[in-house]
């Protein structure tokens, strides 16, 4: 089927490439001409495992193309997906100006029946507003349906998540649109859940908030483990093996970050407030997340006594492994906490250093070109993001090159006993000291 995706960012581009991979003809539209030029030249602007190959293969097969014109996209597709950013505003609510503008732009060029699909994460009832806007601005009085189709891909494994989804949610109030959407997703062989538009919109915020809640639950437990001498890894294995609970997203660490959870929680809290049903549970989830990082900094401070003038090495800057995304990364916040207290920080990250430097996210920090170089002469080593690469580092060597071998494992990546045998003073999260 001919599909158009407006917005060639993380979600738009990966979704477009995966749709093309299963045989659809996809036009990815973006108003950033430089991005379109780069994509046409075969350059993929984000790092996502498997994406570059997918894009090249489908461009060569003429199933995937890039364009800067919404009119071209709408004219040449049956279904038009909106995948533009919905950034947070200072009060936590969602800025919907990009969505509103795209709705008007679609309306301006809409000539015959199209399904307009909202893929961006939006507050409940946005679909209604998109439909009202298109209707109001469309001079041709063309027929159309609006559908909500939230995405559940994770950065770092986006291609796999898209190609093998747990479920597809289609929020639609029209049988015609639902039938077309089912056709789009048929090749993915995934369970399809059809709901009304409002429920589909809510599912997205509710899912992300629940996952964040699981993480905060594990992090709150980790504090109790530390205070009681229990081991968080054993505790979460013990509760997570109950199928009703599940082991996923119960990893205690420095807390969640990234461009989704922090923003979506704030948005959901604001939405709930707005419709008169405050969701205080989610405020506690946020609070635990912040406290987790603060507790970790305190632990480092307690161990080093004073952070000022201390040489601290930080491994990891991205908000999670296998991505170059450093937006709302806890690792970045951590580096800045140390710098603020006067420490001399050297960082190493396999993929995140370019973006951190480009956006000046860790001013004052030095960048090292290897994990070992970062650790050289350090008085403390902090593991902030659990890249697999760090498991292949010769930790015995790291221990030797450090000034004082203190290892603070913010993601419980390493085996405490092995690290202690190497000579490290090892501190994990929720693990016995
Ligand atoms: C998240 C959701 O997992 C996706 O389903 C959703 O589609 C996406 O947001 C979105 O809304 O677009 P993402 O932010 O890419 O995906 O990454 P996650 O793997 O969910 O990790 C988020 C954060 O939670 C990371 O900082 C990670 O380190 C942290 N985390 C995750 C933990 O601290 N503990 C865990 O057990 C799991």
């Amino acid at each position: 089927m001919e599909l158009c995706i407006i917005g060639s960012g993380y979600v738009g581009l990966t979704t477009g490439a995966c749709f093309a991979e299963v045989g659809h003809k996809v036009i990815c539209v973006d108003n950033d001409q430089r991005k379109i030029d780069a994509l046409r030249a075969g350059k993929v602007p984000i790092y996502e495992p498997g994406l570059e190959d997918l894009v090249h293969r489908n461009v060569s097969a003429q199933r995937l193309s890039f364009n800067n014109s919404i009119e071209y996209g709408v004219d040449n597709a049956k279904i038009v997906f909106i995948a533009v950013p919905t950034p947070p505003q200072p009060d936590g609510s969602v800025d919907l100006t990009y969505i509103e503008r795209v709705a008007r732009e679609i309306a301006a060029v809409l000539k015959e029946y199209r399904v307009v699909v909202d893929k961006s994460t939006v507050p409940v009832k946005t679909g209604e507003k998109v439909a009202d806007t298109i209707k109001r601005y469309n001079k041709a009085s063309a027929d159309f349906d609006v559908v909500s189709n939230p995405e559940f891909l994770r950065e770092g494994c986006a291609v796999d998540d898209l190609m093998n989804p747990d479920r597809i949610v289609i929020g639609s109030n029209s049988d015609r649109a639902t039938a077309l959407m089912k056709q789009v997703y048929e090749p993915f062989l995934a369970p399809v859940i059809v709901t009304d538009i409002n429920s589909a919109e809510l599912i997205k915020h509710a899912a992300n908030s629940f996952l964040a809640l699981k993480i905060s639950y594990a992090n709150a437990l980790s504090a109790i483990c530390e205070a009681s001498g229990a081991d968080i890894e054993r505790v979460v294995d013990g509760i997570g093996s109950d199928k009703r609970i599940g082991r996923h997203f119960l990893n205690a660490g420095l807390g969640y970050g990234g461009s989704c959870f922090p923003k979506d929680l704030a948005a959901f809290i604001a939405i709930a407030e707005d419709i008169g049903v405050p969701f205080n549970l989610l405020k506690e989830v946020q609070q635990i997340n912040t406290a987790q990082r603060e507790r970790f900094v305190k632990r480092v401070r307690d161990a080093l006594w004073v952070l000022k003038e201390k040489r601290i090495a930080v491994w990891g800057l991205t908000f999670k492994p296998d991505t170059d995304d450093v937006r709302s990364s806890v690792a970045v916040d951590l580096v800045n906490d140390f710098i603020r207290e006067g420490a001399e920080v050297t960082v190493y990250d396999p993929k995140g250093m370019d973006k951190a430097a480009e956006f000046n996210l860790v001013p004052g920090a030095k960048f090292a070109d290897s994990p070992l170089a970062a650790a050289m002469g350090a008085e403390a080593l902090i593991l902030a993001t659990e890249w697999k690469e760090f498991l292949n580092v010769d930790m015995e060597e790291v221990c030797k090159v450090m000034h004082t071998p203190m290892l603070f494992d913010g993601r419980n990546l390493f085996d405490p006993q092995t690290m202690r045998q190497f000579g490290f003073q090892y501190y994990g999260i929720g693990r016995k000291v």
Side-chain angles (χ1 to χ4, degrees):
M1 198 186 297
E2 290 79 30
L3 308 175
C4 160
I5 313 228
I6 300 174
S8 301
Y10 220 103
V11 173
L13 182 60
T14 19
T15 307
C18 290
F19 280 160
E21 179 72 2
V22 299
H24 297 305
K25 199 148 186 201
V26 183
I27 304 162
C28 282
V29 174
D30 204 286
N31 60 5
D32 180 347
Q33 186 60 47
R34 276 187 315 168
K35 194 185 269 181
I36 293 297
D37 291 343
L39 285 163
R40 282 180 172 164
K43 289 190 198 111
V44 175
I46 47 172
Y47 171 74
E48 182 63 38
L51 181 62
E52 204 166 84
D53 282 353
L54 206 65
V55 168
H56 292 166
R57 188 163 57 243
N58 285 286
V59 168
S60 303
Q62 298 189 334
R63 286 190 299 261
L64 181 64
S65 63
F66 305 101
N67 208 289
N68 65 1
S69 158
I70 287 189
E71 180 161 21
Y72 178 82
V74 173
D75 280 352
N76 291 286
K78 268 197 191 131
I79 304 189
V80 180
F81 291 82
I82 304 176
V84 295
T86 48
Q89 309 202 80
D91 67 352
S93 65
V94 182
D95 176 356
L96 291 169
T97 50
Y98 298 110
I99 300 260
E100 194 268 349
R101 188 196 301 153
V102 168
R104 278 187 284 121
E105 286 172 350
I106 292 172
V109 297
L110 191 70
K111 299 168 192 97
E112 54 184 325
Y113 181 77
R114 295 287 180 261
V115 180
V116 178
V117 184
D118 194 357
K119 235 196 188 316
S120 306
T121 302
V122 293
V124 61
K125 292 170 122 31
T126 300
E128 289 174 7
K129 296 201 179 87
V130 168
D132 285 349
T133 304
I134 296 179
K135 202 165 180 182
R136 198 162 354 116
Y137 285 90
N138 180 229
K139 296 256 185 318
S141 301
D143 198 8
F144 71 93
D145 281 309
V146 169
V147 164
S148 165
N149 174 221
E151 58 79 24
F152 302 103
L153 62 85
R154 288 163 299 169
E155 292 188 20
C157 39
V159 172
D160 194 46
D161 282 351
L162 273 161
M163 297 304 291
N164 305 292
D166 286 347
R167 79 311 203 175
I168 302 296
V169 173
I170 298 173
S172 162
N173 302 339
S174 140
D175 291 343
R176 185 179 181 186
T178 306
L180 283 167
M181 289 297 289
K182 280 186 174 169
Q183 243 173 287
V184 171
Y185 281 106
E186 209 170 75
F188 293 93
L189 305 172
V192 174
I193 298 169
V194 179
T195 69
D196 58 282
I197 299 175
N198 290 351
S199 302
E201 290 169 338
L202 213 57
I203 285 171
K204 171 67 193 215
H205 273 125
N208 271 4
S209 300
F210 188 77
L211 291 169
L213 179 144
K214 276 189 95 174
I215 297 169
S216 278
Y217 189 82
N219 284 335
L221 275 180
S222 75
I224 293 176
C225 286
E226 279 163 29
S228 62
D231 185 331
I232 187 69
E233 297 299 319
R234 302 288 80 77
V235 173
V236 290
D237 282 349
I239 60 173
S241 54
D242 183 329
K243 285 197 191 70
R244 293 169 302 172
I245 296 172
R247 177 65 182 81
H248 297 295
F249 281 68
L250 274 181
N251 296 315
L254 290 168
Y256 60 79
S259 61
C260 303
F261 286 176
K263 177 187 90 145
D264 288 353
L265 249 85
F268 205 14
I269 289 168
I271 293 161
E273 206 92 44
D274 196 44
I275 56 178
V277 195
F279 206 158
N280 292 333
L281 176 65
L282 297 186
K283 291 186 185 163
E284 187 59 20
V285 170
Q286 287 181 317
Q287 194 274 330
I288 293 169
N289 200 52
T290 310
Q292 188 74 355
R293 190 186 89 239
E294 290 168 355
R295 217 160 51 80
F296 186 79
V297 173
K298 180 175 182 308
R299 203 154 200 225
V300 178
R301 192 189 300 117
D302 286 350
L304 293 175
W305 189 13
V306 174
L307 291 181
K308 196 166 181 212
E309 292 168 10
K310 293 283 152 58
R311 249 290 271 115
I312 296 181
V314 177
W315 287 359
L317 272 180
T318 52
F319 83 98
K320 60 185 265 186
D322 295 321
T323 175
D324 61 353
D325 198 341
V326 283
R327 289 175 293 171
S328 302
S329 166
V330 180
V332 166
D333 290 343
L334 198 64
V335 169
N336 288 315
D337 286 340
F338 293 140
I339 289 175
R340 221 172 290 121
E341 295 205 28
E344 293 166 23
V345 183
T346 305
V347 297
Y348 170 80
D349 187 280
K351 292 270 184 256
M353 293 197 288
D354 288 350
K355 288 210 168 137
E358 185 185 339
F359 299 108
N360 197 24
L361 293 183
V362 283
K366 288 192 193 118
F367 293 96
D369 56 14
S370 73
L372 192 68
M376 202 78 73
E379 289 154 280
L381 169 60
I382 315 291
L383 186 290
T385 312
E386 67 278 30
W387 284 90
K388 282 213 180 73
E389 172 177 334
F390 297 136
L391 285 173
N392 298 327
V393 178
D394 180 348
M395 293 304 283
E396 212 165 356
E397 182 66 17
V398 171
C399 189
K400 282 190 199 132
V401 301
M402 287 181 68
H403 188 68
T404 47
M406 295 176 114
L407 173 56
F408 297 86
D409 184 354
R411 298 285 173 184
N412 287 353
L413 181 72
F414 296 110
D415 175 49
Q417 219 176 333
T418 314
M419 292 303 119
R420 286 184 185 123
Q421 276 162 9
F422 286 151
F424 282 106
Q425 204 169 319
Y426 176 89
Y427 301 86
I429 303 278
R431 289 171 149 181
K432 279 188 197 151
V433 177

